[in-house]
Amino acid sequence: MAGRDGRPEGYCHRRMLDAIRYLVDNGIKWRSMPSDFPPWPRCARTCAARLHASRSRSCRRAGTTCPATLWTPGASWL
């Protein structure tokens, strides 16, 4: 898979989104993800980045300011 600036991506974005959907649907913890998905830390970072981007877009539309980050390393929901 081609990534930005010609750097190949390590994992398919679709597989990471599937892993996030699996986690939400089954109510499991990140560390309990089946091994046929990408590693859980990678999926967790993808989830946090997408949440942050979505919230930032919403705040820009509303004309308000948002917190700088939604996720910090070692957050309790991991």
Side-chain angles (χ1 to χ4, degrees):
M1 299 180 67
R4 291 183 221 171
D5 300 326
R7 181 179 176 197
E9 295 182 1
Y11 299 97
C12 175
H13 287 218
R14 174 64 186 254
R15 292 297 295 157
M16 286 193 274
L17 290 175
D18 288 344
I20 293 166
R21 287 186 194 110
Y22 181 86
L23 175 120
V24 171
D25 185 47
N26 294 304
I28 63 170
K29 297 194 183 289
W30 284 109
R31 293 177 190 256
S32 301
M33 297 282 279
S35 61
D36 51 334
F37 289 119
W40 71 266
R42 185 68 177 254
C43 294
R45 282 192 303 268
T46 299
C47 180
R50 287 182 178 266
L51 284 172
H52 179 71
S54 175
R55 188 168 184 197
S56 295
R57 278 192 306 272
S58 297
C59 290
R60 280 195 302 272
R61 285 187 201 127
T64 61
T65 58
C66 289
T69 60
L70 289 175
W71 176 74
T72 56
S76 61
W77 58 276
L78 295 178

